Every structure is written in structure tokens, then in C-alpha cells.
Amino acid sequence: MPIVTMQPGVIPEGLTAYQTYQVYNCLDSAITAQLLPIMLSMANENHLRTYARERRVASLCLEMSRKGFPTNEMAVLELVSQLDREASKAKDALHLFCVAVWHPLLNPNSWQQVEAFFYDYLLLPPVWQYDHKTKQRKRGTNRDALEKLRDAYPSARPFVNAILSYREAVKLAGVFKKGLEPRSKRLRCQFSPTGTDTGRLSSQTNPFGRGTNAQNLNDRVRRVVEAPPGFLIAYPDLKTAESYAVGYLSRSPRYIAACSSDLHTTVARLVWSGLKDVNAYFYRDMTYRDMAKRGGHGTNYYGTAKTMAMFLKVETALIAAFQESYFGAFPEIAEWQLEVIAQIQSTGRLVTPLGRERQFWGRPDDSVTHRAAIAHGPQSLVADIMNEGLCQVQEYLMKECDYARIMAHNDAGLIAQVHDAGAFLIPLGGAEEILAAILEHIVFPVDFGSQGVMAIPAEMSIGLNWGKEKNNNPAGLRAWKPGDGILLGA
Amino acid sequence: MTQLATLAKPFSLFEWGKPNTKLLLIGEAPGEEEERVGKPFVGASGQLLNTLLEQSGFSRSDFNITNVFTERPPGNDFKLNWTTTKTELKKAGYSMAARLPPINKRYLIPEMEHHVARLHSEIDDLKPAFILLLGSTALWAVTGESRIGQNRGTILSLPNGRTGLATFHPAMVLRQWDQRPLVWADLSKAAKYLNGTLPKPLERLFYIDPTFEEIEHVYEVFAANPQWEIGVDIETDPRIGQITTISFCTPRFGICIPFYNKSTLPHLCNYWHTAAEEARAWRWVMAFGALANRKVGQNFLYDHQYLLEDLDIRIRNLQDDTSILQHSLQPELPKALGTLASLYLNEPSWKFMRESSKDDNKADE
């Protein structure tokens, strides 16, 4: 019975299980083909522009997902054994605490035991989480729930810390134990252009169950990502990219000018006029410069004094005073935020200067929607600038560059995108020329009409591994600029 | 209507629409406000429903409105209606023969079954031409099927030749506001269906369980029509990292090339009888991939990684991806194929076929 004729709107019956599976597969591809012209007919010029960009980025994502990160086998073994030790230490500590207060030993992998311990034995008020399998709410035992318990109840703190340390170490060790490609020993993670609402790339475990979120690797893990012999890791990033975007979107000449210098120092001097030493302490161990950096970022994205005070562990009145001075120094930012909110309340639709449209479906009067909308402009703009820049660089590396063939044969070139930075593997021979070209090609100027052109400058660091250069990691990433020469691992 | 009036006592919670309307709207159960006023959908979810109906071209009075249940369980805990498992029912001496199908393996307690009988009597009395089902309970009470996520947004063939459409309950939208556009789209689709502007579903012809002659025939048809855009999709078994089937289809015509039946016995799992035959089938996949026709996929980054891994199969002229297109059109809305079809097409839900094929396979074993 090889041919199935489907009457309109009727799912065929009387097929074997495998035949049903095949019809299902056919319907998937037929409906995909059917959808395309209908969806294209709904797209305006902005949608088509974004679609064209995302298709280009999708091919970059495929390349990155296929290549993966080259690793040093010895360093991986060392890291895994270190993580195993940490997991074991955390578990021992947990058992020690448990023996003191609760007779049985708590298994940190068992959500039932963790739930019983915190909610039935310690009698803490439940933090609820939604269980997608049973479609019911249950008492939370995931990271978010445990962190809430830790912050709210000191009695839970040592237990939560031990459980989270254990889980993190086990998870990370697991990534390397079963996550490396058997042949190439590369760590392959999947990148996707459709994982976020802003257009930022997302990263996760690949379809074969290997890898992890490549954008969330800490320095210790990055150190095991090591360039193969004859190559180095180049890591260009866009300098204070989102701040530039905030400056241009809010039409604030003072803020744009501040971005061109040391942003946080300049902001601190503008907010606290007459301030002599920006590194003097503002509150406990937080300097004026730190406050300008962290407070400024939150304030740009419509953070309230109360919420920011909670995160920064500072008194609310201090944040309120800071925000008043901040908006006094940059009144255009406050005006821009109100414009965005008005836009959300009238049409719910925002369009970035690069034509990315987003309809906000959240409640138009909800501050959560407002914050998402205000953050959308800078984040989306930087994501698109970064992606366009990476496409330009990759085009150069794989086609125009003299070493294109060598890089293609060694799965080199772009290997990762991390928000406003990219990681490249480039050949040591010709590195100076290639690095200068990357710095040139990664800049993607955006025309802001009467305000001029926004060209976010890039900074470069290079190394033999992806960790930061430190005394115990001399081959890590260090700042590089044209004319510096290539001297690594010294 | 006398019979209906009798059936609806003591809490009728029934609202008549405008005279002679043939549309019926079914919700789940009254809330506190509904019970106090004695009318359905008068609380917060009622206000949201009114807005959504108006935004999609209806007015509330276009519908007669009722609920599955006409009373609230103690403490408004609706779980109490569903706490009976099969074992518990049997223990209590109830026969399973006439039981209504379960939701999430939980059966309706027998004391509440008269509500469903009442609802069916109402439907029989009213003889509605179209039924709008709000939420999984309403869907279940009318069809026996409770998977609202898979069945929402499609025109449903209901018992006794009636038609209808299911969507999320407004109370759920109040909790998950980001589902509002889906409900709005579903209601708009119902409006289009009723005024005859919804496109008709397509007739399709698929080759399944193909022979090599049939594969060649489909290939030649595609090659002779290079202007056709072809959809490509793979199914996989992630446990063994293998492609199980791959299909190449236009909206009306196509083929599935099977490889691996993951649910059957090990000696029967390969569709092709010899390694040489399987290699020949893969070569045909390569040939389809190399066709000059423009190709389109859905979340094809996933498929591509499978095709390139070990097999190194490249899909030529793959220009479009509907999940990326949806991300460009509406980044906040879901991008799954089933949702896209429910939003933009008039096709019956087919996503349950994957699960039902699994169930059948288990039964075969």
C-alpha cells in the first residue's frame, strides 16, 4: 500500500504504525512547503530584511555547531578530576550537615528527598514551580527555587550551597565526560538564531546530546579550549556595545561622548560632580566607578531603585539618589524610556534602526513588558551588528584571506559567538595581518541620520587558550592591537 | 427548549445569545463571580473573553454560552473532580465499561458525570452549527480528547457531523498572557471559517513504504518541475543518533524514504533488507538533495546537523526555513510547526500521529 491519498482535512486511518509515522513525516514537509508562501505574503520590508539576515546567520550557526571547540585532552582530564573532587567534597559537606540535623543522608540528585528535607523537615514555606510533565505546580527543588530559599532563610543556606555546588560540578563534569566528539575531541555546542526574542544567538546541547551552552562557560572551562598547533585563538569584542546603542537610541550626545572614553569613569564624574577619585568607596566595598557601571546599566534598562538595591545589596535611598543624578546628567535616556513605553502602550510594536520588528504581546501596562521593550532596542541592535560583523569577518576569512584554504581544512575561522564577542581560530603564520583584518571587518556601521553613523569599535585579545591570561595561565587571552606582534605563552 | 430549561436547573449558568444563533460556546465551570451572578463568563476571564471575541470579529451575543460543569467543587479545587484513578474506580465497585475517557490518566469522579450528560443534552437540543470549545475540559467533554495544545486552532469534526474549534480558556490566558495572541488567532480563524473566507484544506498524495521504482518516479516528477518548492524534513531517533525517515514533499505531493523503524523488533527495524539496498536508498536521498528545486525546511539547523554527520548529505538550494521566517515575523510567538499550521493554515491537527504511531508500535510488540 505505497500510495496514500489524503482527502482535504482528513487524517488517514487504517495504516500500520510505521506507515502512520511516514505519513506524519510527509505532512511535516508538505505543510512546511505550504506555509512558506503564506508566511512570506505576510512579511513587510522589515521582516524580509530581518529574514535575509537571519538566514545568513543560520549558516554561521551551522558552521559553529559543526566545528566545535578544540580542547587540550590533558587539561580536560585535569578539569574533570577537579570537578569530581569538588562534587565529592560538596556531597560530603552536605552529608555532614544532614547528620547534624536530619538523620538520613540527603541525596542531592533526588528531588523527592530535597523536597522532603526543605519543606517537610525544615518546614520552609514552599517556593512553587510548574511541572510541565504533570501540568501541575509542585514545591520547587530546581536552582531558582533553592536560590530563593537560600536568600530568604539562613537555615537553608549551607544545605542549598552544598547542593548547588554538587549539581554544578556534576553537570559540568558530565559535559566533558560524554560531551566531547570521540574522534576530534572537540566540544560541539549548538548555536541557533531563533532562540531569543532579540535576535541574540542562543546556544545549547546539540542534537546528539553533546555540548552545553557555549555562551555561559566560565574562565576555568574556557581554559581547556586550546588552539591546535599552528593556530591561535582571536577574541574580538565590541567595546561597551550596548552603551553605545543606548546613547544613539536615546539621542544623548553626552552619553555617546562618554562611551568614546572610559565610560564608567566619565559617568561617575558627571553624576557626582566634583568627584576627585572615582575609585574611592561609595558604599561598603563598592567604588563610585563600580556604582556608575552597575547602577548605570540597570538604570538604562528601567531598573527600579528597589529592585536594583536588592541586587546590588545597597540601600534603596542611595540608588534613588543615584538615579536622580544619573537622569540629571543624561535626561535624554529618561525621555527615550518614556517614548518606548508610549510606543508599547499605543501599538505594542518596536522597530530597530536595522529593521528588526517585534510585536510585544505582554500586558501593555505591565512594568515587565516595559523593561523588556526598553532593553530590546540596544540588545537587538547590538546582536544584529555583531552578527553582521561576524558574517563580514567569516566571508573575509574563508574567501579573501590568503590562509582561507588552511582554515577550511582545519575547521578554523569562527568557532563561537558570545553575545558581543566572537572566538576565532586563526593560523599563526599571517596572524598579524588576519587580526588587523578582523578588527576592520567586524565593525558594522549603522546610519542614525542626523546623529551620524554609529560604528562601535572592537577590541582584540589573543591567546593559545580561551581563558584569561593570569599567572597560572600565561597562554590565556591578552589584549592585542595592531603593531603589538605575536608573542604568546611567555 | 423546555427540556433544556429543566436540565439546566438549579444552576443553569446558561446564557442565551441573540435569537436563532447557531453558535455555541462551552467553557469549563463557573467561578465565584459567575456563581454569584448566575451567568457564565462574567468575571475577569469573561471580560477578557468579550474583548477577544470583539477583536476577532464576533460579539458575545453571537453565541449561546454554557459550561461543562455548572457548579464549583468545594474550595474551588477542580482537582477534586479528577482524583479517581482506574484502580480506585474499580475498588469502589464501578464498572469501567461506560466510563468517560481520562485526562492525564485521571477519571472524572462518577458523581460529576451527570454534568457531561447535561452538556450533551444541551448540545442535542440546541443543534449548534459551530461549537467554540474553551480549554481542555470543554474539548474533552465534547470529543473525549483533552490535548488542547495539539488540537487548538484547527477546525474540528465533532460528533454528529458538527464542526467546532478549540482554543485556550481565557482564565489560562490571564495566567499566561503570552498565549493571548494564539487565542486571538484561533478566534479569528473561527470567524473566517464561519464567513467562508478560510482557505480549504488540500488534497495530498504521498508515497510511503516505497520501492526503488517509486522513488525514481517521484524524483523524475520533481526534476521535471524545477519551479516547485520542496519541503524537506527528517525524523530521528536521538537515542541512537540516527535518521529514521526523510521526506521530500510539495504541499500536495511527495515521498517518504524510510530507513529505520525504531519501535519494532531489532531484526525488523531496518526498512531495507540489505546494506546494499540501504546504501542505494541513501544515494537517492543525495539525489533528491541535489535537485535544483528550491527547498524549504522547518528548524533545519537540526536536520542539517544530522544529514552532515557521517552521511555528509548536502541539501542544494535550501533557501528558506519557516521557523526562522516566523522568528522574523513574530519573535515572541511559538515557532513549532504545529503552531504555525494552526496560525496560518486550515489543516487538521496531525502532530498526534507521531505519538499514536509510537503507541501502536508498542502494542505491536
Side-chain angles (χ1 to χ4, degrees), chain B residues 26-44:
Chain B
I26 305 175
E28 182 182 2
E32 197 178 345
E33 191 65 12
E34 279 81 5
E35 214 167 57
R36 194 178 61 77
V37 177
K39 280 177 74 177
F41 287 107
V42 289

mmCIF file with all atom_site columns, all heavy atoms in Angstrom, chain B residues 26-44:
data_model
loop_
_atom_site.group_PDB
_atom_site.id
_atom_site.type_symbol
_atom_site.label_atom_id
_atom_site.label_alt_id
_atom_site.label_comp_id
_atom_site.label_asym_id
_atom_site.label_entity_id
_atom_site.label_seq_id
_atom_site.pdbx_PDB_ins_code
_atom_site.Cartn_x
_atom_site.Cartn_y
_atom_site.Cartn_z
_atom_site.occupancy
_atom_site.B_iso_or_equiv
_atom_site.pdbx_formal_charge
_atom_site.auth_seq_id
_atom_site.auth_comp_id
_atom_site.auth_asym_id
_atom_site.auth_atom_id
_atom_site.pdbx_PDB_model_num
ATOM 1   N N   . ILE B 1 26 ? -18.548 26.822 24.799 1.00 0.00 ? 26 ILE B N   1
ATOM 2   C CA  . ILE B 1 26 ? -18.519 25.995 26.011 1.00 0.00 ? 26 ILE B CA  1
ATOM 3   C C   . ILE B 1 26 ? -17.255 26.280 26.812 1.00 0.00 ? 26 ILE B C   1
ATOM 4   O O   . ILE B 1 26 ? -16.143 26.191 26.288 1.00 0.00 ? 26 ILE B O   1
ATOM 5   C CB  . ILE B 1 26 ? -18.572 24.488 25.657 1.00 0.00 ? 26 ILE B CB  1
ATOM 6   C CG1 . ILE B 1 26 ? -19.800 24.186 24.786 1.00 0.00 ? 26 ILE B CG1 1
ATOM 7   C CG2 . ILE B 1 26 ? -18.589 23.638 26.919 1.00 0.00 ? 26 ILE B CG2 1
ATOM 8   C CD1 . ILE B 1 26 ? -19.868 22.759 24.288 1.00 0.00 ? 26 ILE B CD1 1
ATOM 9   N N   . GLY B 1 27 ? -17.436 26.639 28.066 1.00 0.00 ? 27 GLY B N   1
ATOM 10  C CA  . GLY B 1 27 ? -16.305 26.857 28.972 1.00 0.00 ? 27 GLY B CA  1
ATOM 11  C C   . GLY B 1 27 ? -16.178 25.680 29.922 1.00 0.00 ? 27 GLY B C   1
ATOM 12  O O   . GLY B 1 27 ? -16.761 24.611 29.698 1.00 0.00 ? 27 GLY B O   1
ATOM 13  N N   . GLU B 1 28 ? -15.433 25.871 31.012 1.00 0.00 ? 28 GLU B N   1
ATOM 14  C CA  . GLU B 1 28 ? -15.203 24.737 31.906 1.00 0.00 ? 28 GLU B CA  1
ATOM 15  C C   . GLU B 1 28 ? -16.213 24.705 33.067 1.00 0.00 ? 28 GLU B C   1
ATOM 16  O O   . GLU B 1 28 ? -16.975 23.760 33.207 1.00 0.00 ? 28 GLU B O   1
ATOM 17  C CB  . GLU B 1 28 ? -13.777 24.790 32.473 1.00 0.00 ? 28 GLU B CB  1
ATOM 18  C CG  . GLU B 1 28 ? -13.470 23.607 33.372 1.00 0.00 ? 28 GLU B CG  1
ATOM 19  C CD  . GLU B 1 28 ? -12.081 23.662 33.977 1.00 0.00 ? 28 GLU B CD  1
ATOM 20  O OE1 . GLU B 1 28 ? -11.357 24.630 33.732 1.00 0.00 ? 28 GLU B OE1 1
ATOM 21  O OE2 . GLU B 1 28 ? -11.728 22.709 34.694 1.00 0.00 ? 28 GLU B OE2 1
ATOM 22  N N   . ALA B 1 29 ? -16.212 25.768 33.862 1.00 0.00 ? 29 ALA B N   1
ATOM 23  C CA  . ALA B 1 29 ? -17.040 25.773 35.072 1.00 0.00 ? 29 ALA B CA  1
ATOM 24  C C   . ALA B 1 29 ? -17.183 27.199 35.566 1.00 0.00 ? 29 ALA B C   1
ATOM 25  O O   . ALA B 1 29 ? -16.354 28.052 35.242 1.00 0.00 ? 29 ALA B O   1
ATOM 26  C CB  . ALA B 1 29 ? -16.377 24.915 36.148 1.00 0.00 ? 29 ALA B CB  1
ATOM 27  N N   . PRO B 1 30 ? -18.201 27.470 36.357 1.00 0.00 ? 30 PRO B N   1
ATOM 28  C CA  . PRO B 1 30 ? -18.362 28.835 36.860 1.00 0.00 ? 30 PRO B CA  1
ATOM 29  C C   . PRO B 1 30 ? -17.301 29.158 37.900 1.00 0.00 ? 30 PRO B C   1
ATOM 30  O O   . PRO B 1 30 ? -16.838 28.277 38.624 1.00 0.00 ? 30 PRO B O   1
ATOM 31  C CB  . PRO B 1 30 ? -19.751 28.809 37.503 1.00 0.00 ? 30 PRO B CB  1
ATOM 32  C CG  . PRO B 1 30 ? -19.979 27.380 37.856 1.00 0.00 ? 30 PRO B CG  1
ATOM 33  C CD  . PRO B 1 30 ? -19.270 26.573 36.817 1.00 0.00 ? 30 PRO B CD  1
ATOM 34  N N   . GLY B 1 31 ? -16.933 30.410 37.956 1.00 0.00 ? 31 GLY B N   1
ATOM 35  C CA  . GLY B 1 31 ? -16.059 30.879 39.030 1.00 0.00 ? 31 GLY B CA  1
ATOM 36  C C   . GLY B 1 31 ? -16.951 31.461 40.125 1.00 0.00 ? 31 GLY B C   1
ATOM 37  O O   . GLY B 1 31 ? -18.181 31.371 40.056 1.00 0.00 ? 31 GLY B O   1
ATOM 38  N N   . GLU B 1 32 ? -16.291 32.086 41.081 1.00 0.00 ? 32 GLU B N   1
ATOM 39  C CA  . GLU B 1 32 ? -17.042 32.647 42.206 1.00 0.00 ? 32 GLU B CA  1
ATOM 40  C C   . GLU B 1 32 ? -18.037 33.703 41.724 1.00 0.00 ? 32 GLU B C   1
ATOM 41  O O   . GLU B 1 32 ? -19.207 33.711 42.108 1.00 0.00 ? 32 GLU B O   1
ATOM 42  C CB  . GLU B 1 32 ? -16.035 33.268 43.180 1.00 0.00 ? 32 GLU B CB  1
ATOM 43  C CG  . GLU B 1 32 ? -16.608 33.521 44.545 1.00 0.00 ? 32 GLU B CG  1
ATOM 44  C CD  . GLU B 1 32 ? -15.563 34.103 45.484 1.00 0.00 ? 32 GLU B CD  1
ATOM 45  O OE1 . GLU B 1 32 ? -14.366 34.046 45.172 1.00 0.00 ? 32 GLU B OE1 1
ATOM 46  O OE2 . GLU B 1 32 ? -15.977 34.617 46.526 1.00 0.00 ? 32 GLU B OE2 1
ATOM 47  N N   . GLU B 1 33 ? -17.543 34.571 40.851 1.00 0.00 ? 33 GLU B N   1
ATOM 48  C CA  . GLU B 1 33 ? -18.375 35.678 40.355 1.00 0.00 ? 33 GLU B CA  1
ATOM 49  C C   . GLU B 1 33 ? -19.547 35.133 39.528 1.00 0.00 ? 33 GLU B C   1
ATOM 50  O O   . GLU B 1 33 ? -20.684 35.592 39.641 1.00 0.00 ? 33 GLU B O   1
ATOM 51  C CB  . GLU B 1 33 ? -17.478 36.589 39.500 1.00 0.00 ? 33 GLU B CB  1
ATOM 52  C CG  . GLU B 1 33 ? -18.074 37.911 39.106 1.00 0.00 ? 33 GLU B CG  1
ATOM 53  C CD  . GLU B 1 33 ? -18.342 38.835 40.289 1.00 0.00 ? 33 GLU B CD  1
ATOM 54  O OE1 . GLU B 1 33 ? -17.865 38.544 41.399 1.00 0.00 ? 33 GLU B OE1 1
ATOM 55  O OE2 . GLU B 1 33 ? -19.075 39.824 40.091 1.00 0.00 ? 33 GLU B OE2 1
ATOM 56  N N   . GLU B 1 34 ? -19.260 34.133 38.691 1.00 0.00 ? 34 GLU B N   1
ATOM 57  C CA  . GLU B 1 34 ? -20.298 33.539 37.843 1.00 0.00 ? 34 GLU B CA  1
ATOM 58  C C   . GLU B 1 34 ? -21.390 32.919 38.709 1.00 0.00 ? 34 GLU B C   1
ATOM 59  O O   . GLU B 1 34 ? -22.578 33.071 38.436 1.00 0.00 ? 34 GLU B O   1
ATOM 60  C CB  . GLU B 1 34 ? -19.695 32.450 36.943 1.00 0.00 ? 34 GLU B CB  1
ATOM 61  C CG  . GLU B 1 34 ? -18.998 32.972 35.699 1.00 0.00 ? 34 GLU B CG  1
ATOM 62  C CD  . GLU B 1 34 ? -17.585 33.453 35.990 1.00 0.00 ? 34 GLU B CD  1
ATOM 63  O OE1 . GLU B 1 34 ? -17.129 33.288 37.135 1.00 0.00 ? 34 GLU B OE1 1
ATOM 64  O OE2 . GLU B 1 34 ? -16.949 34.009 35.085 1.00 0.00 ? 34 GLU B OE2 1
ATOM 65  N N   . GLU B 1 35 ? -20.961 32.225 39.773 1.00 0.00 ? 35 GLU B N   1
ATOM 66  C CA  . GLU B 1 35 ? -21.932 31.561 40.627 1.00 0.00 ? 35 GLU B CA  1
ATOM 67  C C   . GLU B 1 35 ? -22.793 32.595 41.354 1.00 0.00 ? 35 GLU B C   1
ATOM 68  O O   . GLU B 1 35 ? -23.992 32.417 41.528 1.00 0.00 ? 35 GLU B O   1
ATOM 69  C CB  . GLU B 1 35 ? -21.201 30.676 41.643 1.00 0.00 ? 35 GLU B CB  1
ATOM 70  C CG  . GLU B 1 35 ? -21.984 29.431 41.967 1.00 0.00 ? 35 GLU B CG  1
ATOM 71  C CD  . GLU B 1 35 ? -21.136 28.417 42.715 1.00 0.00 ? 35 GLU B CD  1
ATOM 72  O OE1 . GLU B 1 35 ? -20.600 28.752 43.784 1.00 0.00 ? 35 GLU B OE1 1
ATOM 73  O OE2 . GLU B 1 35 ? -21.016 27.297 42.206 1.00 0.00 ? 35 GLU B OE2 1
ATOM 74  N N   . ARG B 1 36 ? -22.165 33.704 41.719 1.00 0.00 ? 36 ARG B N   1
ATOM 75  C CA  . ARG B 1 36 ? -22.906 34.753 42.443 1.00 0.00 ? 36 ARG B CA  1
ATOM 76  C C   . ARG B 1 36 ? -23.954 35.398 41.522 1.00 0.00 ? 36 ARG B C   1
ATOM 77  O O   . ARG B 1 36 ? -25.098 35.574 41.897 1.00 0.00 ? 36 ARG B O   1
ATOM 78  C CB  . ARG B 1 36 ? -21.912 35.814 42.949 1.00 0.00 ? 36 ARG B CB  1
ATOM 79  C CG  . ARG B 1 36 ? -22.476 36.764 43.980 1.00 0.00 ? 36 ARG B CG  1
ATOM 80  C CD  . ARG B 1 36 ? -21.421 37.751 44.452 1.00 0.00 ? 36 ARG B CD  1
ATOM 81  N NE  . ARG B 1 36 ? -20.896 38.595 43.383 1.00 0.00 ? 36 ARG B NE  1
ATOM 82  C CZ  . ARG B 1 36 ? -21.552 39.639 42.866 1.00 0.00 ? 36 ARG B CZ  1
ATOM 83  N NH1 . ARG B 1 36 ? -22.725 39.976 43.330 1.00 0.00 ? 36 ARG B NH1 1
ATOM 84  N NH2 . ARG B 1 36 ? -21.010 40.343 41.890 1.00 0.00 ? 36 ARG B NH2 1
ATOM 85  N N   . VAL B 1 37 ? -23.511 35.707 40.282 1.00 0.00 ? 37 VAL B N   1
ATOM 86  C CA  . VAL B 1 37 ? -24.416 36.404 39.358 1.00 0.00 ? 37 VAL B CA  1
ATOM 87  C C   . VAL B 1 37 ? -25.376 35.427 38.679 1.00 0.00 ? 37 VAL B C   1
ATOM 88  O O   . VAL B 1 37 ? -26.479 35.793 38.262 1.00 0.00 ? 37 VAL B O   1
ATOM 89  C CB  . VAL B 1 37 ? -23.585 37.183 38.303 1.00 0.00 ? 37 VAL B CB  1
ATOM 90  C CG1 . VAL B 1 37 ? -24.463 37.871 37.279 1.00 0.00 ? 37 VAL B CG1 1
ATOM 91  C CG2 . VAL B 1 37 ? -22.700 38.197 38.990 1.00 0.00 ? 37 VAL B CG2 1
ATOM 92  N N   . GLY B 1 38 ? -24.937 34.160 38.552 1.00 0.00 ? 38 GLY B N   1
ATOM 93  C CA  . GLY B 1 38 ? -25.769 33.171 37.882 1.00 0.00 ? 38 GLY B CA  1
ATOM 94  C C   . GLY B 1 38 ? -25.647 33.212 36.371 1.00 0.00 ? 38 GLY B C   1
ATOM 95  O O   . GLY B 1 38 ? -26.515 32.748 35.635 1.00 0.00 ? 38 GLY B O   1
ATOM 96  N N   . LYS B 1 39 ? -24.561 33.777 35.883 1.00 0.00 ? 39 LYS B N   1
ATOM 97  C CA  . LYS B 1 39 ? -24.317 33.829 34.428 1.00 0.00 ? 39 LYS B CA  1
ATOM 98  C C   . LYS B 1 39 ? -22.894 33.366 34.145 1.00 0.00 ? 39 LYS B C   1
ATOM 99  O O   . LYS B 1 39 ? -21.992 33.598 34.974 1.00 0.00 ? 39 LYS B O   1
ATOM 100 C CB  . LYS B 1 39 ? -24.471 35.266 33.923 1.00 0.00 ? 39 LYS B CB  1
ATOM 101 C CG  . LYS B 1 39 ? -25.925 35.700 33.713 1.00 0.00 ? 39 LYS B CG  1
ATOM 102 C CD  . LYS B 1 39 ? -26.002 37.155 33.286 1.00 0.00 ? 39 LYS B CD  1
ATOM 103 C CE  . LYS B 1 39 ? -25.559 37.332 31.845 1.00 0.00 ? 39 LYS B CE  1
ATOM 104 N NZ  . LYS B 1 39 ? -25.687 38.725 31.394 1.00 0.00 ? 39 LYS B NZ  1
ATOM 105 N N   . PRO B 1 40 ? -22.657 32.744 32.999 1.00 0.00 ? 40 PRO B N   1
ATOM 106 C CA  . PRO B 1 40 ? -21.285 32.314 32.695 1.00 0.00 ? 40 PRO B CA  1
ATOM 107 C C   . PRO B 1 40 ? -20.418 33.492 32.227 1.00 0.00 ? 40 PRO B C   1
ATOM 108 O O   . PRO B 1 40 ? -20.942 34.451 31.663 1.00 0.00 ? 40 PRO B O   1
ATOM 109 C CB  . PRO B 1 40 ? -21.480 31.307 31.563 1.00 0.00 ? 40 PRO B CB  1
ATOM 110 C CG  . PRO B 1 40 ? -22.750 31.710 30.901 1.00 0.00 ? 40 PRO B CG  1
ATOM 111 C CD  . PRO B 1 40 ? -23.606 32.356 31.948 1.00 0.00 ? 40 PRO B CD  1
ATOM 112 N N   . PHE B 1 41 ? -19.127 33.365 32.461 1.00 0.00 ? 41 PHE B N   1
ATOM 113 C CA  . PHE B 1 41 ? -18.130 34.327 31.960 1.00 0.00 ? 41 PHE B CA  1
ATOM 114 C C   . PHE B 1 41 ? -18.483 35.778 32.285 1.00 0.00 ? 41 PHE B C   1
ATOM 115 O O   . PHE B 1 41 ? -18.653 36.616 31.396 1.00 0.00 ? 41 PHE B O   1
ATOM 116 C CB  . PHE B 1 41 ? -17.945 34.165 30.434 1.00 0.00 ? 41 PHE B CB  1
ATOM 117 C CG  . PHE B 1 41 ? -17.189 32.918 30.061 1.00 0.00 ? 41 PHE B CG  1
ATOM 118 C CD1 . PHE B 1 41 ? -17.852 31.832 29.488 1.00 0.00 ? 41 PHE B CD1 1
ATOM 119 C CD2 . PHE B 1 41 ? -15.836 32.814 30.297 1.00 0.00 ? 41 PHE B CD2 1
ATOM 120 C CE1 . PHE B 1 41 ? -17.159 30.681 29.157 1.00 0.00 ? 41 PHE B CE1 1
ATOM 121 C CE2 . PHE B 1 41 ? -15.133 31.663 29.958 1.00 0.00 ? 41 PHE B CE2 1
ATOM 122 C CZ  . PHE B 1 41 ? -15.799 30.589 29.392 1.00 0.00 ? 41 PHE B CZ  1
ATOM 123 N N   . VAL B 1 42 ? -18.603 36.077 33.572 1.00 0.00 ? 42 VAL B N   1
ATOM 124 C CA  . VAL B 1 42 ? -18.844 37.465 33.966 1.00 0.00 ? 42 VAL B CA  1
ATOM 125 C C   . VAL B 1 42 ? -17.672 38.035 34.786 1.00 0.00 ? 42 VAL B C   1
ATOM 126 O O   . VAL B 1 42 ? -17.626 39.225 35.037 1.00 0.00 ? 42 VAL B O   1
ATOM 127 C CB  . VAL B 1 42 ? -20.152 37.627 34.782 1.00 0.00 ? 42 VAL B CB  1
ATOM 128 C CG1 . VAL B 1 42 ? -21.363 37.428 33.909 1.00 0.00 ? 42 VAL B CG1 1
ATOM 129 C CG2 . VAL B 1 42 ? -20.161 36.693 35.976 1.00 0.00 ? 42 VAL B CG2 1
ATOM 130 N N   . GLY B 1 43 ? -16.734 37.178 35.178 1.00 0.00 ? 43 GLY B N   1
ATOM 131 C CA  . GLY B 1 43 ? -15.589 37.654 35.969 1.00 0.00 ? 43 GLY B CA  1
ATOM 132 C C   . GLY B 1 43 ? -14.484 38.169 35.057 1.00 0.00 ? 43 GLY B C   1
ATOM 133 O O   . GLY B 1 43 ? -14.734 38.587 33.915 1.00 0.00 ? 43 GLY B O   1
ATOM 134 N N   . ALA B 1 44 ? -13.255 38.121 35.580 1.00 0.00 ? 44 ALA B N   1
ATOM 135 C CA  . ALA B 1 44 ? -12.107 38.640 34.817 1.00 0.00 ? 44 ALA B CA  1
ATOM 136 C C   . ALA B 1 44 ? -11.941 37.894 33.498 1.00 0.00 ? 44 ALA B C   1
ATOM 137 O O   . ALA B 1 44 ? -11.695 38.497 32.449 1.00 0.00 ? 44 ALA B O   1
ATOM 138 C CB  . ALA B 1 44 ? -10.850 38.496 35.660 1.00 0.00 ? 44 ALA B CB  1
#
